[in-house]
Amino acid sequence: MQTHRVGNALAAFSFMLWGLLPLYYQFLPQANINDLLALRIIFSVPFMFAVMVILRRRMPSLATLWQDKRSLLMSALAGLIMCVSWYAFTWAMTHDQVLAASLGFFINPLFAITLGVLFLKEKLTLAQKAAVVLATMGIAYQVWYYGELPWISLIMGSFFALYGLCKKFIRYDALTSVTLEAALLAPIALAYVLITGFMGTSTALASDSNTLMLYIGSAPITLAPLIFFALAISRTSLTMVGLMQYIEPTLQFLLAVFLFGEMFDEVKAISFGFIWLGLILCSLEAISKMFHRPVRPA
């Protein structure tokens, strides 16, 4: 019981940190997203190595990693997919589109449900079917009214769901796979930084020291929640994690509307309403299952 309480607290804390990330990016308005992505990847590697040494007292051997080539390949693919999702997220954070990021994370579970059906042969419950239909209606309403798709939200939600699907096929532990994802992409990111630095086209390297440190700081500031999440996942149930994941987009939604003053008009209210209704149905179903588990005979 004590372990579950610790796990729940760690999970809630990780989602709170993710939800408060928009506050950090307010110090980097109109940031060069390519520079930001490259520096985040590069500095993620030493940061994750340090975390693994502190928490594990050792690093996994290269021979052990090489033995599982499928996991190695899937880690590289997961890293590439995460780059797309993170690129969209960062663009939203630095271009006054926090509400779009919030929508992306609200619809992510529904993309995950769909991928589970398509690739993992999972069966949809009645509540999940209703949630997918309601989310489709919410997005369709925005498209009908605005005449365009909410691309940033859709890219974030779908690619983060694809990232989660890749994780299903990786047998390394969470910290090792996250470290590998950055390490495998680091040479490309380093080459980009060196080339743009040499050509004098790097916004980050040409900025003042405080701004440069903010670029570099995006690595630990975005990885810290992931570490707490990795520590939580083995200490609590996936059901609780699934319910608490809505802390993140809820905080981002509140920041966008009440602190950053982003427009939340009637169209978005109706669109979000459809999606929230679907998520409420899924959450109520999950809670019902938690409290009505069959008792196993002794």
Side-chain angles (χ1 to χ4, degrees):
M1 183 64 71
Q2 184 66 29
T3 301
H4 275 281
R5 286 201 195 98
V6 172
N8 291 341
L10 288 169
F13 186 60
S14 70
F15 288 121
M16 284 178 63
L17 289 178
W18 265 316
L20 294 173
L21 275 178
L23 295 173
Y24 182 85
Y25 287 103
Q26 293 304 301
F27 295 102
L28 284 169
Q30 305 298 318
N32 185 307
I33 308 301
N34 295 325
D35 289 356
L36 199 52
L37 178 60
L39 290 171
R40 178 189 182 274
I41 291 171
I42 292 168
F43 286 93
S44 291
V45 178
F47 179 78
M48 288 304 300
F49 279 161
V51 168
M52 291 188 72
V53 169
I54 293 170
L55 295 180
R56 303 276 177 77
R57 306 294 182 189
R58 61 183 178 82
M59 295 290 297
S61 67
L62 292 177
T64 302
L65 297 176
W66 186 250
Q67 285 176 356
D68 192 349
K69 295 181 179 61
R70 189 183 78 164
S71 292
L72 192 64
L73 180 63
M74 292 305 293
S75 293
L77 180 59
L80 287 170
I81 290 172
M82 175 52 80
C83 280
V84 178
S85 180
W86 193 83
Y87 191 98
F89 170 75
T90 310
W91 188 91
M93 293 295 101
T94 56
H95 288 77
D96 301 320
Q97 293 291 320
V98 177
L99 203 55
S102 171
L103 177 60
F105 284 119
F106 272 125
I107 62 177
N108 164 252
L110 305 175
F111 275 112
I113 289 170
T114 304
L115 290 177
V117 172
L118 294 176
F119 295 98
L120 303 177
K121 308 303 180 184
E122 296 177 355
K123 300 294 183 182
L124 287 182
T125 65
L126 184 61
Q128 289 172 335
K129 290 178 182 177
V132 172
V133 171
L134 287 167
T136 304
M137 290 170 63
I139 297 298
Y141 184 75
Q142 273 202 45
V143 174
W144 174 76
Y145 193 90
Y146 292 134
E148 60 182 11
L149 285 166
W151 286 111
I152 293 297
S153 305
L154 291 173
I155 290 171
M156 281 180 55
S158 60
F159 274 83
F160 196 70
L162 285 169
Y163 176 76
L165 180 64
C166 283
K167 288 291 200 178
K168 292 282 189 181
F169 301 98
I170 297 174
R171 287 185 285 264
Y172 305 137
D173 64 84
L175 291 179
T176 299
S177 64
V178 170
T179 305
L180 268 177
E181 289 162 21
L184 292 169
L185 293 174
I188 301 172
L190 184 59
Y192 169 83
V193 170
L194 291 174
I195 291 170
T196 55
F198 179 77
M199 295 176 63
T201 57
S202 172
T203 302
L205 296 181
S207 60
D208 60 82
S209 58
N210 288 338
T211 303
L212 179 59
M213 289 306 298
L214 285 170
Y215 272 87
I216 294 171
S218 65
I221 206 72
T222 53
L223 287 170
L226 191 60
I227 294 165
F228 284 108
F229 179 78
L231 294 173
I233 203 72
S234 61
R235 293 173 170 84
T236 188
S237 67
L238 287 177
T239 302
M240 283 302 298
V241 170
L243 293 173
M244 284 192 287
Q245 71 178 334
Y246 301 123
I247 294 173
E248 175 189 358
T250 300
L251 284 174
Q252 291 174 356
F253 173 84
L254 294 173
L255 288 174
V257 175
F258 296 107
L259 185 61
F260 305 143
E262 292 188 23
M263 183 181 67
F264 187 65
D265 57 16
E266 182 181 346
V267 176
K268 289 178 180 176
I270 293 173
S271 179
F272 270 80
F274 277 118
I275 294 163
W276 286 336
L277 179 57
L279 295 176
I280 289 170
L281 291 176
C282 287
S283 298
L284 290 176
E285 181 183 63
I287 293 170
S288 175
K289 287 180 179 178
M290 283 177 63
F291 289 101
H292 294 88
R293 288 173 181 165
V295 179
R296 293 182 182 180

